[in-house]
Amino acid sequence: MKGAKALARAVCRAADRFYTVPGYPVSEVAALTGAVITTNEKVALECALGDSLSGRRAAVIVKHVGLNACADPLVHATAQGLLAGVVIVVGDDIRVTGSDVAGDSRYYGEVAWAPVFEPDGKTLGPAVEAAFEASETFSRVAILRVTPDLLDADVPEPSIQRNDLKGSLADPDLTMAGRAVAADRRTAAMFAWARSSPLNRFHPVIAYPPPADAGVLASLPEERGRPFLREHRFLAPPDAAMEPQRFSTRGFSRTFCRDCPFHPALRILQERGMQAVCDAGCSILAMNPPYRIGVAAYGLGSSVAVAATGPRVALIGDYALLHSGLNALIDVYERGLPLLCIVFANRRMGMTGGHPVPEILRYITWADPVVCAADDATALRHALVLPEDGPRTVVIEGVCPEGGRHVAMEYRDL
């Protein structure tokens, strides 16, 4: 059996959903899994994260240059957490046979503090399952790196025994700084796990965190790509001594400006018990008191695709939609996914200094959005309902108060 077919079989046994942007050397793997083709790789990973929030394991199958497009949600997931396992199967075109540039995806392990697996033909099945289990154990995306040498080789039928675990989302009482420290702690535990894993007994299947065993290091094979293992052989885990910061210890939490025009919409969502995926920008404050309607946030422009396969409600600002949410919105409408996409249109970057933003409606007329004034409670109540089938985009137009500042709520008032 060729490696590509064996890999596809192993991935199909370990995961429930599959997404891809085809490209050499993993196009065949993607086709054999029946993976859904998305508008770009970032959207693919965001869809996978939404599945994770819904308790479904998901695989993203891309080539090395496609992994670059996944970087933002990949890094965010390490701090924000996930539930069911998410694994990126990345094919590195190390000889630039069907690509513009070469690449070595193992370095993303260091960038995102994500576990990276690099199996051979004998360990392919166990490595795929171990990648999903590592994703769930350490609540972050895992990466499985393959090259044409493995995909074109004759390998045995992969053996895999699925063992679903459950990850966790970041503790809602942690500040963003606290979430980063908590992720450091899990990373330190990940180093200990990798260095005791039987997968690394004779061959460094886990490339990141790198093996520390002197025997394994002494017998390192010739690496495919850059000398990643040799460069990282003395890498130490992060210092996990610091206590993660909590709202309770900091003494306050931030919320929307006192005169924010979007309070009526937020109150309606809260009253109806609707949970949303938040975006970077002001909408992320919906995760904090007094509303606490946000489930997770995975970076700018991410909420649309994550919500489409997750809780079905996305909160996003007009700039975040322009930044990278539009690709996801196109994907959602093409696939007819039942999503309520709520756009806070204030025509400014409220989090970063009030810079002007282009008027959003001209760019999404094809979505036939419902447009509501932020203070029209009747229109908002009619619009802010989950669609029964297919997507709905609701643009809520409001003007931010001049000189407005996010309110700091004392912890005793939370």
Side-chain angles (χ1 to χ4, degrees):
M1 178 182 294
K2 292 298 182 182
K5 186 174 183 180
L7 175 58
R9 285 193 180 182
V11 170
C12 284
R13 291 171 186 169
D16 305 304
R17 297 288 175 88
F18 315 92
Y19 302 96
T20 189
V21 173
Y24 180 82
V26 290
S27 295
E28 182 182 359
V29 177
L32 289 170
T33 63
V36 173
I37 298 175
T38 58
T39 49
N40 65 33
E41 295 86 352
K42 178 175 182 284
V43 172
L45 180 53
E46 290 161 357
C47 288
L49 288 167
D51 281 315
S52 173
L53 295 179
S54 299
R56 297 182 293 265
R57 282 182 168 185
V60 177
I61 304 167
V62 296
K63 64 183 294 174
H64 63 284
V65 291
L67 184 58
N68 298 334
C70 297
D72 196 23
L74 171 63
V75 172
H76 273 82
T78 296
Q80 304 304 324
L82 48 72
L83 298 179
V86 175
V87 172
I88 300 176
V89 178
V90 56
D92 281 1
D93 183 5
I94 54 177
R95 299 183 186 91
V96 200
T97 301
S99 309
D100 300 321
V101 294
D104 192 324
S105 298
R106 293 175 293 179
Y107 288 87
Y108 272 103
E110 187 174 17
V111 171
W113 282 351
V116 179
F117 295 76
E118 188 176 19
D120 58 13
K122 294 179 181 179
T123 56
L124 188 56
V128 168
E129 174 58 25
F132 278 100
E133 291 181 17
S135 173
E136 292 156 348
T137 299
F138 302 107
S139 302
R140 62 195 64 192
V141 177
I143 298 170
L144 189 132
R145 183 212 191 206
V146 295
T147 64
D149 291 345
L150 173 62
L151 298 174
D152 296 337
D154 292 316
V155 303
E157 171 82 21
S159 173
I160 186 167
Q161 184 173 353
R162 182 162 168 168
N163 178 35
D164 289 43
L165 306 175
K166 187 176 182 180
S168 61
L169 296 174
D171 184 340
D173 188 45
L174 292 176
T175 66
M176 290 301 171
R179 293 176 185 216
V181 172
D184 288 355
R185 288 187 163 190
R186 290 193 298 272
T187 301
M190 189 173 74
F191 268 71
W193 157 81
R195 290 173 175 178
S196 63
S197 172
L199 282 174
N200 277 353
R201 185 173 301 165
F202 305 111
H203 169 75
V205 174
I206 303 172
Y208 186 89
D213 184 88
V216 173
L217 291 171
S219 60
L220 283 177
E222 181 180 352
E223 296 190 59
R224 296 178 177 89
R226 296 177 62 184
F228 178 85
L229 292 172
R230 287 174 172 80
E231 290 176 357
H232 292 78
R233 62 188 183 276
F234 300 123
L235 187 67
D239 182 5
M242 185 184 300
E243 190 68 26
Q245 185 186 62
R246 296 180 173 275
F247 292 125
S248 53
T249 54
R250 190 176 71 176
F252 67 93
S253 171
R254 291 188 178 89
T255 188
F256 295 87
C257 299
R258 193 174 307 280
D259 297 322
C260 175
F262 303 113
H263 279 300
L266 292 162
R267 281 193 289 268
I268 290 170
L269 295 174
Q270 184 185 44
E271 290 167 4
R272 293 178 174 175
M274 298 172 75
Q275 296 289 295
V277 176
C278 297
D279 219 284
C282 290
S283 65
I284 202 171
L285 296 173
M287 299 177 69
N288 296 347
Y291 296 111
R292 288 197 184 276
I293 60 173
V295 177
Y298 294 107
L300 196 61
S302 66
S303 63
V304 175
V306 177
T309 54
R312 296 176 54 197
V313 181
L315 277 182
I316 189 168
D318 46 6
Y319 178 70
L321 188 60
L322 287 169
H323 177 274
S324 54
L326 276 175
N327 291 313
L329 197 65
I330 292 168
D331 195 82
V332 167
Y333 273 77
E334 280 296 307
R335 294 164 58 196
L337 300 178
L339 169 73
L340 176 61
C341 178
I342 303 168
V343 184
F344 289 162
N346 56 0
R347 299 195 63 180
R348 64 186 296 180
M349 300 182 198
M351 276 280 197
T352 57
H355 308 84
V357 172
E359 199 276 319
I360 190 67
L361 288 176
R362 75 177 87 173
Y363 300 108
I364 58 171
T365 53
W366 52 267
D368 193 22
V370 177
V371 182
C372 300
D375 59 356
D376 189 341
T378 300
L380 290 172
R381 289 188 178 279
H382 280 95
L384 298 180
V385 294
L386 287 172
E388 294 183 3
D389 55 358
R392 174 188 298 138
T393 299
V394 179
V395 177
I396 304 175
E397 297 182 322
V399 178
C400 290
E402 287 299 325
R405 297 176 64 87
H406 293 146
V407 174
M409 297 185 66
E410 297 293 331
Y411 184 75
R412 63 175 180 270
D413 298 328
L414 300 185

